[in-house]
Structures are given as structure tokens and as C-alpha cells.
Amino acid sequence: MKPISKKRKLKRRIAFVFVALALIGAVVFIHTNVTNVLKAIAEASMRSITTVAVNDAVYYTLSDKLRYEDLIAIERDGKGDIQAISSNAFQINRIARDTAYMSQENLNSMSQDGVEVPLGALTGVSAWAGFGPKLHLKIIPISNVSCRFVSKFLDAGINQTKHSIYLEIVADISIIMPTGTSNFASLTEVLVAESVLLGKVPETFLQADLFGGGFTLAPEE
């Protein structure tokens, strides 16, 4: 048998290195694309779940007829002008606490089943991500829900001011998957009550934060 020359050996080694690098590059490219597509699908699914979970929590906590007077107390002088505006701290804290708690419970319950990912998503090609049979992807969501009331004043005419009260629910979500971690935040704003105030409203109340901070429910350890 004719011995293989050093030149041929070198060519074979170079070819082997090129093939190995090409394979490694292909694996990295596919893994990166698959990871990005799976993250996008999981995040979209969790955004949908978060919206439903928060809306259900708001519906539950605000199911009773809540009046403006249940949250805000107005003090006037002899001329009918507004002297003081105060909030019902107990009622506000209760609603914020219950909404945060219910949102957290709903998120934990609704995300237990994970998400379904089309087989086409494993190709890493976005255009094919919605095709093929469904694969079940187990995810571990970690959520941090915070609620706060926001007060907004709007001029409604001569000596008339519309006072709107909103509940803001922010859910910070971290999704832990086999392919990596995805983080996003979801904001939901709900109109709780509003009223048109008659009489002059002092500028200090128009600029002040009537409700202080908010309520945050941290994830369980």
C-alpha cells in the first residue's frame, strides 16, 4: 500500500477542521434561532395568560358596586370650595392587596400546564413557527405583582374638575425554560371610579399623590 503523503494528510486535516467548524456553526445557528422562537412563543402565551389572570382578579375584587365616595372624602368651606381631599386608606389597601393576591394566584394556576409549541418552531424559522403538531413545553413562571391607585384630574368646565381614579396592576414575569429565560412586564390600567367635582380645587391636590405608594406581592420562595 502506497503511504499517504504529508501533503495529503495536511489536506485531510484541514478539510476535517472545516467540516467540524461548519457543523459547530450550524448547531449554534439552529440553537440560537430555536431559542429565540421558543422564547417569543412562550412570552406571547404568558402575556395572554397574564392579561386574563389580572382581568379576572380585577373583576373579582371590584365585583361589588364601588362608589367614588367609598374611596374619596371631600371637605368644603362655607362657599362650597374644596378645602381638603382625602382617601380611604383601608379600602384602597384592601383592593390593591386583594387584586395583587388574586392576580398571583391566577397566574400560578393558569401557567401550571405550560405552553404548546408547534413543531415548526423547532426549525428556528419564524415563518414556520405556527405549523406542525403541538409540543408541550414546560415553563416555570416567576411573577411579581404590584398594584397602585392613580389619581387624574381633568378640567371639565367653569369650577368643575373631573376626578378619575385608576388601578394600575404591573406584573413582572420571568419565564424559565430549558432553552433559557425570558423577562417582561405587563401593565393593566382599570378605571375604578370617577366624579365631577364642583367648586375650586386647590392646586396642591391637583399635583399631589393622593394614594401614596402601592402594594407589591413578591414571589414565594
Side-chain angles (χ1 to χ4, degrees):
M1 181 181 293
K2 188 177 180 181
I4 301 175
S5 66
K6 292 183 179 181
K7 191 174 181 180
R8 267 184 94 179
K9 287 183 179 179
L10 181 60
K11 286 183 177 180
R12 286 185 178 183
R13 288 177 182 176
I14 293 174
F16 175 79
V17 171
F18 273 113
V19 171
L21 290 176
L23 289 175
I24 293 173
V27 170
V28 171
F29 177 77
I30 293 174
H31 179 268
T32 300
N33 282 346
V34 169
T35 297
N36 291 337
V37 172
L38 290 181
K39 281 186 177 182
I41 293 174
E43 181 175 326
S45 299
M46 278 305 301
R47 282 187 182 277
S48 177
I49 290 174
T50 301
T51 299
V52 175
V54 170
N55 286 338
D56 286 350
V58 171
Y59 177 80
Y60 175 81
T61 55
L62 300 179
S63 57
D64 296 332
K65 292 294 183 181
L66 189 68
R67 302 175 303 166
Y68 177 84
E69 294 77 13
D70 296 331
L71 301 177
I72 299 295
I74 304 293
E75 295 181 19
R76 302 177 183 273
D77 59 15
K79 297 179 181 179
D81 290 334
I82 295 174
Q83 292 291 94
I85 302 176
S86 59
S87 60
N88 185 334
F90 175 80
Q91 188 78 297
I92 288 168
N93 288 334
R94 180 192 66 79
I95 294 173
R97 182 191 65 244
D98 291 350
T99 302
Y101 177 78
M102 285 298 301
S103 297
Q104 185 85 66
E105 289 294 301
N106 290 344
L107 278 170
N108 291 339
S109 176
M110 297 174 68
S111 59
Q112 282 183 351
D113 294 334
V115 296
E116 291 186 338
V117 179
L119 183 61
L122 298 182
T123 63
V125 180
S126 299
W128 297 349
F131 297 95
K134 303 289 186 180
L135 301 177
H136 187 76
L137 178 63
K138 185 66 176 177
I139 61 175
I140 304 174
I142 301 176
S143 56
N144 183 64
V145 181
S146 62
C147 295
R148 73 184 186 111
F149 278 83
V150 178
S151 183
K152 298 181 181 180
F153 293 92
L154 181 65
D155 185 11
I158 300 175
N159 279 342
Q160 294 184 16
T161 305
K162 184 170 74 171
H163 184 198
S164 302
I165 300 172
Y166 295 87
L167 177 62
E168 284 187 353
I169 306 101
V170 178
D172 292 313
I173 309 294
S174 294
I175 309 173
I176 301 176
M177 302 176 294
T179 55
T181 302
S182 180
N183 304 291
F184 71 92
S186 173
L187 170 65
T188 303
E189 186 177 75
V190 180
L191 177 63
V192 176
E194 64 181 4
S195 178
V196 175
L197 306 180
L198 302 178
K200 185 178 180 181
V201 179
E203 189 69 23
T204 53
F205 292 109
L206 298 178
Q207 303 298 330
D209 182 2
L210 297 178
F211 304 109
F215 184 87
T216 301
L217 187 65
E220 297 180 1
E221 297 293 338

